[in-house]
Amino acid sequence: MSGVQAGQVKGVEVVGPDGPVVGVAGEDLVLPCFLRPNTSAVDMDVVWMIEDKSNYKQLLGAMDYSFLCAYAVGMYLSGIIGERLPIRLYLTVGMITSGLFTCLFGFGYIYNIHSLGFYIFIQVANGLVQTTGWPSVVTCIGNWFGKGRG
């Protein structure tokens, strides 16, 4: 089974089906695998790992592309929304929400989440809320300096 490693035990291999394992969202999934040679896994840590690291550029590219697309759409929407809301509140909520989504991205590592969909969702949401920054800051600076003389 690609993607599973039997802890620090040398000579032990996790064996499973060659094809994908299909599960239903929200239900428990029992992975059909066994250890070769036949060994007890009671005191063993079994961890998930990415075995095929050759496509990391495509995975990072997908996350970057999703962020940039969301940012582009968000810049358009943010300018429209920002003109209709109190600018300080809009900027504050946007930046706090951006920080929360950045923390969620880090929690993916802490909680061992290996779902590309999770990371793309976080990137899209972060791209949308980060767009609150630029229009708000430009408006704040414009209000700070006031109207020009010329």
Side-chain angles (χ1 to χ4, degrees):
M1 174 179 280
S2 175
V4 178
Q5 171 186 342
Q8 301 294 326
V9 181
K10 293 185 189 237
V12 176
E13 177 185 14
V14 178
V15 181
D18 291 330
V21 177
V22 179
V24 177
E27 293 185 10
D28 291 339
L29 176 67
V30 177
L31 296 175
C33 61
F34 61 92
L35 298 176
R36 186 183 294 153
N38 193 6
T39 308
S40 172
V42 172
D43 295 325
M44 192 180 299
D45 291 327
V46 179
V47 295
W48 290 96
M49 60 177 251
I50 298 173
E51 190 172 290
D52 180 20
K53 296 180 181 177
S54 64
N55 68 341
Y56 72 93
K57 289 182 182 179
Q58 289 83 8
L59 298 175
L60 292 174
M63 288 195 306
D64 193 33
Y65 181 75
S66 61
F67 174 84
L68 292 173
C69 287
Y71 192 83
V73 170
M75 283 300 278
Y76 175 74
L77 298 173
S78 191
I80 295 169
I81 296 169
E83 291 176 347
R84 290 164 173 76
L85 296 176
I87 202 69
R88 286 187 219 160
L89 176 66
Y90 186 59
L91 180 61
T92 302
V93 169
M95 293 300 101
I96 288 173
T97 308
S98 175
L100 290 174
F101 280 117
T102 302
C103 289
L104 281 176
F105 197 89
F107 285 146
Y109 175 77
I110 293 170
Y111 292 110
N112 217 10
I113 298 172
H114 297 280
S115 168
L116 182 62
F118 169 79
Y119 291 105
I120 287 180
F121 170 77
I122 297 298
Q123 288 291 80
V124 167
N126 210 357
L128 289 173
V129 297
Q130 281 191 16
T131 61
T132 62
W134 182 248
S136 302
V137 168
V138 169
T139 303
C140 284
I141 296 295
N143 291 338
W144 187 353
F145 286 105
K147 302 274 184 204
R149 295 183 189 166

